[in-house]
Amino acid sequence: MRSEAGPVTAYDDLPYTRGGTVDRSEVGALVQSAVDGDTAAWKAIVEGLSPLVWSVVRAHRLSDADGHEVYQTVWFRFAQHLGRIREPDKAGSWLASTARNECLKVIKSLRRLTPTDDPQLLDRVSEERTPEQSVLDSEEAAAQSERVRHLWQEFEALGERCRQLLRVLISSPPPSYQEVSAALGIAVGSIGPMRQRCLRRLRARLDARGAL
């Protein structure tokens, strides 16, 4: 059994942060079905939990090439261990933990982190619009681009731990705290308070520069 091929675009592009969804209450049953050779169950697992794997990769700031390699490695190992996972209903935590370990291996081998650009998605101005509307849309797009730029500037000014946590938490579908714990090595009970501290810090920085 093998996983589906990884995406052909950058690993933090929009289609892979809003990927397939899976009801986590059904994960255990899907894993058991996949063990029995149900290809539809395997596809549902890959489509539903891939965003979680990508969010862990993105949180560790790997390059596209390294990120794709980690993605493929994680799913290959998952397929290898599919019938030996002790708690199938916690497959998401297993994937997150494995992704984290693989990312750390890459980082250790490189001895550095390779930053990646955060995507800024802007609406394209339709050629069918009037010149006046095009001007207004362009101005709005420019203003939105500036707000997004300020947001990411202040986000990057946060500590590394805050950046990692928030990157994982904004993945879609939202990961469980157990999956976040496995991905980042943070105690489950510390995730909520840490998230609040990080968001307050980010809001304070945005308030200070009048970016809200």
Side-chain angles (χ1 to χ4, degrees):
M1 185 177 294
R2 59 190 293 271
S3 67
E4 296 181 340
V8 296
T9 55
Y11 61 77
D12 55 352
D13 280 350
L14 187 61
Y16 301 101
T17 57
R18 295 184 181 176
T21 60
V22 61
D23 188 336
R24 282 180 171 78
S25 66
E26 300 176 356
V27 169
L30 286 172
V31 171
Q32 293 293 350
S33 296
V35 170
D36 294 335
D38 187 337
T39 56
W42 173 258
K43 182 178 180 180
I45 294 170
V46 174
E47 290 182 348
L49 294 179
S50 282
L52 173 63
V53 176
W54 284 121
S55 72
V56 176
V57 173
R58 188 170 58 250
H60 287 81
R61 310 299 297 276
L62 300 184
S63 67
D64 280 356
D66 289 334
H68 279 84
E69 183 174 350
V70 166
Y71 174 88
Q72 294 289 356
T73 298
V74 169
W75 284 108
F76 177 71
R77 296 196 187 287
F78 184 70
Q80 281 185 314
H81 293 83
L82 192 61
R84 301 194 298 274
I85 295 178
R86 295 180 180 178
E87 298 179 279
D89 58 315
K90 295 183 179 178
S93 295
W94 191 99
L95 287 164
S97 179
T98 302
R100 174 175 180 260
N101 290 336
E102 292 300 322
C103 287
L104 293 177
K105 286 180 184 178
V106 172
I107 292 170
K108 184 176 180 180
S109 68
L110 295 176
R111 299 294 181 183
R112 63 182 177 83
L113 290 173
T114 303
T116 59
D117 293 331
D118 292 296
Q120 296 183 5
L121 303 175
L122 303 176
D123 292 332
R124 294 182 178 177
V125 177
S126 171
E127 294 180 356
E128 298 177 357
R129 295 174 181 174
T130 64
E132 293 81 3
Q133 185 63 47
S134 295
V135 170
L136 292 174
D137 288 347
S138 296
E139 291 178 349
E140 175 59 28
Q144 177 63 17
S145 177
E146 186 71 3
R147 288 193 293 270
V148 171
R149 187 174 66 84
H150 288 162
L151 172 62
W152 285 113
Q153 282 178 344
E154 297 305 331
F155 178 86
E156 291 298 333
L158 296 175
E160 178 66 20
R161 206 59 169 156
C162 276
R163 294 198 302 270
Q164 287 188 333
L165 177 63
L166 294 179
R167 283 180 182 278
V168 171
L169 287 173
I170 63 176
S171 65
S172 178
S176 67
Y177 274 17
Q178 287 75 21
E179 291 166 347
V180 175
S181 175
L184 301 179
I186 301 173
V188 171
S190 299
I191 294 172
M194 182 176 175
R195 172 180 176 274
Q196 292 300 321
R197 288 196 300 271
C198 292
L199 290 176
R200 283 198 299 268
R201 194 177 305 165
L202 178 60
R203 178 172 289 276
R205 296 188 66 91
L206 290 170
D207 281 340
R209 72 182 296 169
L212 287 178

